[in-house]
Amino acid sequence: NGHMEMAAAFDLAGFSAQDVTMTDLISGRNTLGEFDGVVVCGGFSFGDVLGAGLGWAKSILHSSHLRNEFASFFNRYNTFTLGVCNGCQMLSGLRELIDGSEHWPSFIRNKSDQFESRLVMVEVLKSNSILFSGLEGAKLPIVVAHGEGKVKFSRPTDLDELKNHEQISIRYVDNYGLAVDNYPFNPNGSQGGLTGFCNEDGRVTIMMPHPERVVRSISCSWYPDNWGEFSPWLKVFQNARHYCD
């Protein structure tokens, strides 16, 4: 249910967004080879049953046709990929197909054990992500709407590897701008407030919050006068266009 807002944000940045379903890919009506970017949108796949994003990923991994389709796309070095919310969880489940993503976490049930939906604050960190170029250090409001956003690492060394290779893109902060573990500033209980990552070459970005829902300044409860019609989140989508150009 987030695909219309996502398409609008990419259209604003100069793209021609096209809605492609899994059925379209299975039937061959569309192929990923037609596109410069793939965006896996937020919004409750499979009725948002527990682990829905992971189930979505397995529907690709267990199909030789779809597995090859996605692997070929990820291996094209002139493409970008973004996964948000449910799409973040889905792309995390495709780690074995994405070079430089082996240390990404999984996303599990929120610490609160409930769906969390509201405006929160995040800090953009210096990372390899092509989408966050020029936003490093910004502390911005953003929408969260998820029930399974808590990060879980498979190995104790994963977090250090992500830090060392600048693959951590955003984290939750409190009203003092400090990284936070505490609820409600951190809506899901993720360690260090971590909520966005990229692969090693920066072409694939995953994040739990929804930048597409706050591209227009009016979507925020408050914003500075100098923002104008659009918030700094529009730059995420403009960066994607700049990369393609």
Side-chain angles (χ1 to χ4, degrees):
N1 60 8
H3 60 295
M4 296 298 288
E5 294 156 302
M6 189 68 80
F10 274 97
D11 282 348
L12 281 170
F15 285 93
S16 177
Q18 183 171 336
D19 187 13
V20 177
T21 67
M22 293 297 294
T23 304
D24 292 329
L25 295 177
I26 292 168
S27 68
R29 283 190 295 269
N30 291 106
T31 66
L32 297 184
E34 303 170 44
F35 302 102
D36 297 306
V38 164
V39 186
V40 190
C41 300
F44 317 120
S45 67
F46 297 95
D48 203 34
V49 295
L50 294 177
L54 191 58
W56 191 358
K58 290 193 180 301
S59 73
I60 295 166
L61 295 175
H62 293 167
S63 163
S64 58
H65 166 64
L66 291 176
R67 185 186 181 96
N68 291 336
E69 181 97 357
F70 277 84
S72 295
F73 180 85
F74 295 138
N75 285 326
R76 281 172 49 203
Y77 287 98
N78 59 346
T79 65
F80 72 91
T81 306
L82 170 64
V84 170
C85 194
N86 201 204
C88 169
Q89 190 184 45
M90 182 274 234
L91 284 177
S92 175
L94 297 183
R95 290 191 293 274
E96 63 191 86
L97 304 183
I98 303 171
D99 286 344
S101 68
E102 60 270 17
H103 299 292
W104 281 358
S106 300
F107 294 85
I108 62 173
R109 191 74 176 163
N110 295 343
K111 186 176 181 179
S112 66
D113 200 32
Q114 62 185 2
F115 178 78
E116 302 286 347
S117 179
R118 62 179 173 278
L119 210 65
V120 297
M121 289 289 292
V122 294
E123 178 184 13
V124 180
L125 305 176
K126 185 178 183 297
S127 75
N128 298 330
S129 173
I130 63 167
L131 300 183
F132 290 113
S133 177
L135 287 171
E136 299 89 345
K139 298 180 176 69
L140 301 168
I142 196 168
V143 167
V144 292
H146 60 258
E148 295 181 332
K150 183 181 178 182
V151 301
K152 179 184 179 182
F153 293 102
S154 299
R155 297 171 294 269
T157 57
D158 282 339
L159 180 54
D160 287 336
E161 291 289 341
L162 291 171
K163 289 179 178 177
N164 292 340
H165 293 92
E166 296 190 332
Q167 291 179 248
I168 302 174
S169 300
I170 55 174
R171 63 184 178 186
Y172 300 114
V173 294
D174 62 16
N175 52 309
Y176 296 104
L178 302 175
V180 64
D181 292 330
N182 297 334
Y183 185 91
F185 302 105
N186 179 331
N188 52 47
S190 292
Q191 176 183 355
L194 305 181
T195 191
F197 306 88
C198 64
N199 73 327
E200 199 162 345
D201 70 11
R203 293 186 303 110
V204 185
T205 301
I206 60 173
M207 58 189 298
M208 194 52 59
H210 290 266
E212 76 281 6
R213 296 186 180 180
V214 282
V215 162
R216 297 191 67 215
S217 299
I218 199 171
S219 300
C220 302
S221 57
W222 177 90
Y223 59 92
D225 293 337
N226 63 358
W227 275 15
E229 182 179 356
F230 301 107
S231 80
W233 288 116
L234 181 60
K235 187 168 177 59
V236 169
F237 306 95
Q238 292 171 330
N239 281 340
R241 180 55 196 257
H242 178 70
Y243 179 77
C244 290
D245 290 342

